[in-house]
Amino acid sequence: KGQCSADSVKLPNVGREGHTFLHHIVDNYDSLSNWTVFSQAQKPTEGYIDHKIGGGHLLTGITLDDYLSHHNQTEGSADSLFMMSSKVHLPSMRHSLRSTYKTHPHQTTPSISSRDSCPKVDGDDFWGPYHDAPLLRKTLATKCNVEDYALGDAVQSFWPDFLEHELPANEVVHYAQGARFAVSRERVHQRTKAYYQRLLDSVSSEQDPCLNYLFEFAWYYILGNPTVQACESFVEDTTVADSEVRFLQAGISGGISGDISGGISGDISAGISGGISGDEISDSNDGSDVSAFTDGVTRSTLLGTSAVSSVLVALSLSTA
């Protein structure tokens, strides 16, 4: 639906948003903007309810402008902005959600007071308890063609074998549901163009590849080569999650503890709505480098960025 601008670059409908993001990096590796904001195609709104109602994956109190302006407001010292909304214990695939991430239409969530990528120790912004995610695990196992009980091992091997990065502490990965983040050119350049090309090739043949789901967990580690993990992790965080691993290793897979609280259900990790690759649109506005990506089923709208210099924006606003 909708119209694309005349100068848009139409991409094949493969690889979801992972293909679109990586295509932009590879195609523009030597001429990237100083600061790039990547986003799936849906309008950036608060939280995520489910795969039918949707949502734009923003933490309560955060706006798209926070992503656009962060680099300038930190006087160029920030190399990225990842607002982590979820964490996953890889061996069990159990998830924990951030308290400032809305997952129910009538839920009142506390408002985040600063651009902290991770919750602070005290206050209303915190990590909730781990919950089982049977639908997520089943979807991933099916997509990746592995048995349910072997999924944890497969996902863990993805980190050193494919991402060329060691596993985060306690095998806990923090990530931004909905694949929205901002990175500097310098951070992207911590990895070679050949590295991104290899990842792009891996999601260039299927419309809905297994690896794109794993990419959503891993963008913090894909875009650059960080020496510190995204958020602090504690051994006690995974005590309950580890019990699930023992059940899985015994061959008892499936829904051990019922529903995950809110947005992890649906079409995997509550964040893979939209972004089924498609069109890449570029434009220039008063000397600012502004671009937008759309998934081919939504209308793309370019934002004015007079307050931000040399910014590339990956954004699409959905239409009815």
Side-chain angles (χ1 to χ4, degrees):
K1 294 188 294 186
Q3 300 296 317
C4 297
S5 63
D7 60 348
S8 64
V9 178
K10 190 167 186 178
L11 301 178
N13 187 25
V14 294
R16 289 184 173 259
E17 78 279 357
H19 177 273
T20 306
F21 293 174
L22 291 165
H23 181 274
H24 175 78
I25 291 172
V26 170
D27 247 30
N28 300 278
Y29 187 82
D30 296 320
S31 57
L32 288 168
S33 300
N34 292 335
W35 186 247
T36 303
V37 180
F38 294 95
S39 178
Q40 288 184 353
Q42 69 274 21
K43 180 180 179 180
T45 56
E46 183 185 36
Y48 191 86
I49 309 306
D50 60 34
H51 69 289
K52 293 181 179 179
I53 298 175
H57 305 286
L58 290 172
L59 294 176
T60 301
I62 294 295
T63 68
L64 182 64
D65 185 63
D66 289 308
Y67 291 88
L68 295 171
S69 61
H70 188 65
H71 190 60
N72 279 359
Q73 291 191 3
T74 59
E75 298 181 347
S77 63
D79 73 350
S80 64
L81 180 63
F82 286 81
M83 300 301 299
M84 302 305 185
S85 56
S86 303
K87 60 179 179 179
V88 55
H89 178 244
L90 293 179
S92 66
M93 299 306 296
R94 290 172 70 90
H95 272 72
S96 165
L97 295 176
R98 195 167 176 171
S99 64
T100 46
Y101 190 65
K102 187 173 184 177
T103 58
H104 189 278
H106 304 298
Q107 177 183 358
T108 300
T109 50
S111 179
I112 193 168
S113 58
S114 63
R115 297 172 187 163
D116 292 321
S117 291
C118 309
K120 295 180 178 179
V121 175
D122 300 317
D124 293 332
D125 184 21
F126 55 86
W127 291 115
Y130 280 96
H131 292 271
D132 188 27
L135 180 58
L136 167 62
R137 196 166 58 224
K138 180 179 179 181
T139 302
L140 266 180
T142 301
K143 286 289 180 186
C144 300
N145 196 28
V146 297
E147 295 294 335
D148 195 333
Y149 67 85
L151 180 62
D153 288 340
V155 174
Q156 288 177 87
S157 67
F158 164 78
W159 234 259
D161 296 347
F162 206 85
L163 296 187
E164 301 175 5
H165 202 288
E166 62 182 13
L167 279 166
N170 302 315
E171 299 170 317
V172 172
V173 172
H174 302 80
Y175 72 100
Q177 279 199 35
R180 179 179 296 112
F181 37 79
V183 292
S184 68
R185 176 174 57 214
E186 289 74 18
R187 174 155 173 155
V188 174
H189 283 174
Q190 291 172 10
R191 298 279 199 175
T192 65
K193 182 177 179 179
Y195 174 84
Y196 296 113
Q197 181 67 64
R198 179 171 63 82
L199 297 187
L200 174 61
D201 291 343
S202 72
V203 291
S204 293
S205 59
E206 297 178 49
Q207 199 171 83
D208 189 23
C210 158
L211 285 175
N212 187 69
Y213 294 91
L214 303 187
F215 285 172
E216 183 166 346
F217 296 153
W219 284 115
Y220 176 83
Y221 299 94
I222 291 173
L223 297 177
N225 194 12
T227 57
V228 296
Q229 63 186 59
C231 302
E232 190 173 3
S233 177
F234 304 95
V235 175
E236 55 268 26
D237 285 346
T238 61
T239 301
V240 177
D242 281 334
S243 67
E244 173 77 358
V245 178
R246 289 192 289 273
F247 278 114
L248 289 173
Q249 289 174 340
I252 307 174
S253 59
I256 302 248
S257 64
D259 298 331
I260 182 124
S261 63
I264 302 294
S265 62
D267 294 334
I268 189 158
S269 81
I272 316 286
S273 64
I276 310 177
S277 79
D279 305 324
E280 178 179 334
I281 300 172
S282 300
D283 199 3
S284 179
N285 182 26
D286 297 330
S288 298
D289 182 6
V290 181
S291 298
F293 298 139
T294 175
D295 65 1
V297 295
T298 55
R299 184 176 62 205
S300 177
T301 302
L302 294 175
L303 299 182
T305 57
S306 57
V308 187
S309 62
S310 193
V311 175
L312 179 139
V313 183
L315 170 70
S316 295
L317 303 183
S318 60
T319 57

